[in-house]
Amino acid sequence: MSMTFDDGTFIRNEMVEPLPPPKQRIGAVAWMRENLFSGVLNTLLTVLGILAVVWVVPPLVRFMIIDAVWTGENREACLGPEVGACWPFIHAKFGQLIYGFYPISERWRVDIVFAAGALLLVPLMVLSWPFKRINAFLFFVAYPVVAFVLLTGGNINASAFLLERFGLIGGLVGDAQIGGVNLVFWVDYVLTTLLVMAAIGGLIALLGGSGRSAAITTLWVFLSLGLVIFIWDVDVGLDYVETRQWGGLLVTLVIAVTGIVASLPLGILLALGRRSQMPVVRLLSVIFIEFWRGVPLITVLFFATYMLPLFLPQGTNPDALLRALVGVALFSAAYMAEVVRGGLQAIPKGQYEGAMAVGLTWSQMMRLIVLPQALTLVIPGIVNSFISLFKDTTLVLIVSIFDFLGQLRASFTDPNWATPVTLYTGFAFAGVVYFLFCFGMSRYSLFVERRLNTSHRH
Amino acid sequence: MSELHSTVSPEELHAVHTPPGREVAVDLVGVHKWYGEFHVLKDINLKVHRGERIVICGPSGSGKSTMIRCINRLEEHQQGTIIVDGIELTNDLKRIDEIRREVGMCFQHFNLFPHLTILENLTLAPIWVRKMPKKEADELAMHFLTKVKIPEQAHKYPGQLSGGQQQRVAIARALCMKPKIMLFDEPTSALDPEMVKEVLETMVSLAEEGMTMLCVTHEMGFARQVANRVIFMDAGQIIEMNEPEPFFSNPQHERTRLFLSQILH
């Protein structure tokens, strides 16, 4: 009991204990009343929504499942009136949609690449599983190298690195081949490494830095690059499959995964460059970003495919798929850079000062304090870019690379399967496939967002 | 004058009065700084000896924060020399990093890292800057968390702690680097009155251990209790510098008297 006095003073004698909140009306009817029919406008919208569902869903289900044809050998099966989706068509073309014109006897190589990718990606995505470091190394470093050998067959016949391009080595060692590996290239490589080491070391030492450590860093870079080239160069006994034969989902995934994996680190570097205090770095980053953002992807692909060879010296003719890959990666890196920059700008100045005050260097500060927070903030934007990149891969069709959609459209021309519903069936299937990938990315990003949002920011 | 010490108990008043050493920890000679056209620091000369505790007060905009932020190069000075722990501050990044390793700092808004747990906040710098093994860093962090009396919060995130607790974590974080000098930039001004005391107590116990401290604060009770010298700044310059007793009882400069009368009533 508390006492109130007539003169307006008050003294509390007993504290009020917390009580449970008033009982709400629970149950389906109460939920519907609150969420669906809480007013005239909402009731109207609910009714319209139900009408839309009734209008769209039953015909869709009828086309895709009830009226659909499930078995058959050719177009005969799908001709009759009132016929729904022609699934035998997808079944017959399935291999082509996945592998393109990859030789049928070699398709197991693609299967291994798919399986290995999934096996490495899943444990990487489950945040609570251990061995993230080694897992990330396997997925981001070892996997691409091995996948390259499996898909192309390796044995790239490296013949000249730098010095031999001026004809300096060939006369020295002759035309020696050891196990399918060209000795000229490796003599060239070792000598170039030593030259570059000396040049960089000398330059750094001249500028007053530690020439020795610079030279050693250079050596490590060349060693790892050399190892990769060596693995690609050794004849492992696989047939060569040129990228022109690749197609279907294989190409879609190769472009999308390369684009995604390359664009994030590149984008982060560009975003940091754009916020750098060094004017030259900032200017170069701005020019790069604005150039790639100002040009449509189609133009980039056209340029890479048809015009680049005109500018490159005779004899250097990089692979068409590789050129498209680089174009897509740089294009999406520019977008990624702006997304990441948005995150960097949201980090308060105090975080930088706190990090500097405890003695972290600039790169430690960025790696440990700023980027983890900035990237977490912009996960929705990053995944948005990934999804749009995934769908934009279909544009490589215009430079005659047949990705999943391109392969699908190519299969429409098969007179064996020419029926009125072939087109609808194909696009319905493509829609489902793209939706599964994009929806998967979207859901996964929501999961990561929730998991990382443990910081309870103030 | 006793209201003044509301945050520090009278017994504690006699706690600290170790005489400082003769070795110079921080030396500012003729330091000037401009923000664009605006002259923020004008001819700052200050010698802080090892073990000395300096309290800096003054109206807002007087340059007191800017001055101590120059000591660990969060702000750059344009003229004069700053020598910290025998190392002169120049544009050389190595020297700056070296100085920052030896100088701890606490901020008005704590600046804890919200994405890391309290323990990770504390062990980050020892692990990455001092290259300490994680286990050893954890022990060190728990030692200092116990010292600031919140070891039970080690696995929470900063956002889950009260302001006073966060500031004590920030102090512990700085201490984990075993700094020779501690800078405090208004450590209690963003706190609720009830939490000021716990932070000040931590700072007092730090002073008792002989830490070299420069504190920008308006806690005059604290200044009276632990400071060897109190500095009054206004308009970017040092107006008056004296031992606390004469500083408070007999301020010399007109501006100091006005300022003290406004904050001490």
Side-chain angles (χ1 to χ4, degrees):
Chain A
M1 277 296 120
S2 302
M3 294 194 294
T4 306
F5 303 100
D6 288 342
D7 60 357
T9 56
F10 170 83
I11 301 168
R12 181 172 293 288
N13 292 336
E14 271 175 37
M15 304 301 279
V16 180
E17 294 303 320
L19 298 170
K23 288 255 184 309
Q24 279 171 342
R25 280 174 302 167
I26 328 164
V29 178
W31 183 88
M32 279 167 66
R33 185 175 294 167
E34 192 177 326
N35 292 294
L36 297 177
F37 305 104
S38 60
V40 179
L41 182 67
N42 284 348
T43 309
L44 196 68
L45 288 174
T46 303
V47 170
L48 281 177
I50 292 172
L51 280 179
V53 169
V54 168
W55 187 53
V56 171
V57 173
L60 200 65
V61 172
R62 200 170 328 123
F63 176 81
M64 304 235 323
I65 298 168
I66 300 173
D67 288 347
V69 179
W70 296 91
T71 51
E73 289 305 312
N74 51 33
R75 65 192 290 266
E76 307 290 330
C78 304
L79 278 179
E82 298 285 311
V83 159
C86 182
W87 295 123
F89 161 70
I90 299 294
H91 184 74
K93 298 291 178 191
F94 194 73
Q96 196 184 325
L97 292 179
I98 303 294
Y99 307 99
F101 302 113
Y102 209 89
I104 294 181
S105 59
E106 303 292 327
R107 280 180 182 176
W108 58 273
R109 282 152 59 174
V110 180
D111 293 336
I112 291 182
V113 169
F114 282 162
L119 275 179
L120 289 172
L121 188 60
V122 168
L124 195 64
M125 286 170 66
V126 181
L127 299 179
S128 56
W129 287 9
F131 309 120
K132 279 284 172 286
R133 253 164 211 267
I134 187 157
N135 195 338
F137 174 81
L138 286 176
F139 184 76
F140 291 110
V141 182
Y143 177 65
V145 175
V146 174
F148 177 86
V149 172
L150 274 170
L151 291 176
T152 62
N155 195 9
I156 52 176
N157 288 326
S159 59
F161 188 65
L162 179 71
L163 302 172
E164 172 62 10
R165 293 201 193 284
F166 306 104
L168 292 175
I169 308 291
L172 219 65
V173 252
D175 195 16
Q177 293 272 343
I178 302 171
V181 172
N182 192 336
L183 197 62
V184 174
F185 175 84
W186 289 101
V187 173
D188 182 359
Y189 191 82
V190 171
L191 288 179
T192 310
T193 305
L194 293 176
L195 275 180
V196 174
M197 266 174 72
I200 291 184
L203 193 69
I204 298 287
L206 252 171
L207 292 172
S210 165
R212 201 183 139 82
S213 72
I216 290 174
T217 313
T218 317
L219 180 66
W220 278 111
V221 171
F222 271 85
L223 263 183
S224 29
L225 185 68
L227 185 67
V228 172
I229 299 180
F230 183 74
I231 294 173
W232 288 356
D233 198 15
V234 168
D235 188 357
V236 286
L238 291 173
D239 283 343
Y240 176 56
V241 182
E242 58 176 340
T243 56
R244 221 177 308 159
Q245 290 174 287
W246 304 13
L249 195 64
L250 169 65
V251 159
T252 298
L253 287 180
V254 165
I255 298 176
V257 172
T258 316
I260 285 172
V261 171
S263 70
L264 187 59
L266 262 179
I268 291 173
L269 287 181
L270 284 169
L272 291 177
R274 193 167 185 166
R275 283 172 58 81
S276 166
Q277 300 196 339
M278 291 176 271
V280 178
V281 174
R282 192 170 55 230
L283 186 70
L284 288 178
S285 305
V286 170
I287 291 175
F288 184 94
I289 293 169
E290 296 305 333
F291 171 77
W292 288 97
R293 285 206 307 169
V295 180
L297 184 56
I298 293 189
T299 316
V300 172
L301 292 171
F302 261 120
F303 189 88
T305 308
Y306 300 119
M307 291 172 70
L308 202 61
L310 301 180
F311 300 116
L312 289 174
Q314 287 286 316
T316 48
N317 193 17
D319 185 85
L321 182 64
L322 178 70
R323 275 179 276 162
L325 271 181
V326 173
V328 168
L330 296 183
F331 183 82
S332 39
Y335 280 85
M336 194 57 68
E338 289 299 277
V339 173
V340 174
R341 190 165 69 95
L344 289 175
Q345 269 166 355
I347 304 301
K349 201 166 149 245
Q351 290 293 306
Y352 291 86
E353 291 180 348
M356 286 192 275
V358 291
L360 297 184
T361 62
W362 183 85
S363 73
Q364 286 171 337
M365 171 174 81
M366 284 300 168
R367 214 153 25 102
L368 302 168
I369 305 300
V370 178
L371 281 174
Q373 295 185 61
L375 292 181
T376 312
L377 276 177
V378 293
I379 286 176
I382 291 176
V383 174
N384 207 11
S385 294
F386 285 170
I387 289 176
S388 90
L389 166 66
F390 187 85
K391 292 187 290 186
D392 281 350
T393 54
T394 55
L395 288 175
V396 296
L397 182 62
I398 60 144
V399 292
S400 316
I401 296 172
F402 286 84
D403 74 324
F404 181 71
L405 200 67
Q407 207 61 252
L408 181 76
R409 297 184 54 160
S411 65
F412 290 155
T413 54
D414 182 356
N416 261 336
W417 288 101
T419 70
V421 290
T422 305
L423 206 66
Y424 303 127
T425 310
F427 282 125
F429 180 66
V432 170
V433 170
Y434 278 104
F435 180 81
L436 285 180
F437 276 101
C438 297
F439 189 64
M441 282 195 261
S442 153
R443 297 313 296 183
Y444 178 67
S445 87
L446 283 177
F447 159 74
V448 174
E449 238 178 284
R450 271 198 299 272
R451 267 296 299 276
L452 295 183
N453 189 21
T454 47
S455 56
H456 306 276
R457 10 188 100 245
H458 28 228
Chain B
M1 290 283 268
S2 63
E3 304 83 53
L4 216 168
H5 306 300
S6 57
T7 52
V8 178
S9 64
E11 303 86 73
E12 283 171 325
L13 258 170
H14 303 286
V16 213
H17 270 302
T18 43
R22 286 290 93 202
E23 213 179 325
V24 178
V26 180
D27 197 0
L28 290 86
V29 183
V31 173
H32 290 260
K33 175 174 175 59
W34 289 263
Y35 282 130
E37 289 287 296
F38 181 57
H39 199 170
V40 259
L41 290 183
K42 300 168 190 155
D43 190 32
I44 303 289
N45 290 287
L46 174 64
K47 226 184 256 307
V48 182
H49 293 98
R50 203 165 292 293
E52 206 176 7
R53 298 167 296 275
I54 308 277
V55 163
I56 303 147
C57 59
S60 61
S62 60
K64 52 196 193 305
S65 285
T66 311
M67 183 180 85
I68 71 162
R69 287 158 60 89
C70 279
I71 294 173
N72 66 350
R73 229 344 139 84
L74 291 184
E75 304 280 353
E76 194 182 336
H77 64 287
Q78 277 107 27
Q79 219 181 79
T81 34
I82 299 180
I83 298 172
V84 184
D85 196 34
I87 306 165
E88 187 184 343
L89 261 177
T90 59
N91 282 326
D92 186 355
L93 287 178
K94 268 197 189 143
R95 287 190 188 189
I96 295 174
D97 285 340
E98 212 172 311
I99 286 174
R100 282 178 183 159
R101 281 200 289 272
E102 306 306 329
V103 179
M105 184 157 193
C106 291
F107 301 87
Q108 184 176 3
H109 295 291
F110 331 131
N111 296 352
L112 294 177
F113 308 128
H115 62 303
L116 302 178
T117 63
I118 300 304
L119 193 65
E120 288 165 340
N121 262 280
L122 266 66
T123 55
L124 185 86
I127 288 175
W128 288 92
V129 182
R130 293 256 189 254
K131 312 288 177 207
M132 192 181 280
K134 188 180 177 307
K135 203 168 155 279
E136 203 180 314
D138 281 349
E139 282 166 16
L140 182 77
M142 286 315 294
H143 168 74
F144 282 112
L145 275 183
T146 314
K147 202 164 155 185
V148 298
K149 303 192 181 81
I150 34 175
E152 73 283 359
Q153 312 284 356
H155 297 285
K156 290 193 182 166
Y157 286 89
Q160 295 166 296
L161 269 55
S162 74
Q165 289 173 326
Q166 289 193 47
Q167 192 61 290
R168 283 185 283 157
V169 171
I171 295 174
R173 179 176 74 179
L175 292 179
C176 277
M177 283 295 282
K178 302 259 175 71
K180 295 179 179 153
I181 300 156
M182 280 290 292
L183 308 175
F184 292 88
D185 188 1
E186 308 209 29
T188 56
S189 349
L191 298 178
D192 290 341
E194 285 183 84
M195 296 170 184
V196 171
K197 185 174 177 345
E198 63 190 48
V199 170
L200 286 182
E201 277 171 358
T202 309
M203 290 169 65
V204 168
S205 75
L206 197 59
E208 283 169 12
E209 288 165 20
M211 175 67 77
T212 312
M213 294 164 72
L214 281 93
C215 314
V216 172
T217 183
H218 291 147
E219 295 296 333
M220 291 307 149
F222 173 79
R224 195 177 272 273
Q225 183 187 355
V226 306
N228 301 102
R229 276 186 288 165
V230 183
I231 291 175
F232 173 68
M233 283 184 75
D234 191 20
Q237 33 213 313
I238 294 179
I239 303 288
E240 189 163 346
M241 168 155 61
N242 208 338
E243 288 177 13
E245 184 48 41
F247 179 88
F248 288 113
S249 53
N250 188 17
Q252 300 295 310
H253 197 283
E254 176 59 30
R255 191 66 193 82
T256 316
R257 275 201 288 274
L258 183 65
F259 178 75
L260 287 179
S261 74
Q262 272 163 352
I263 65 166
L264 297 182
H265 319 286

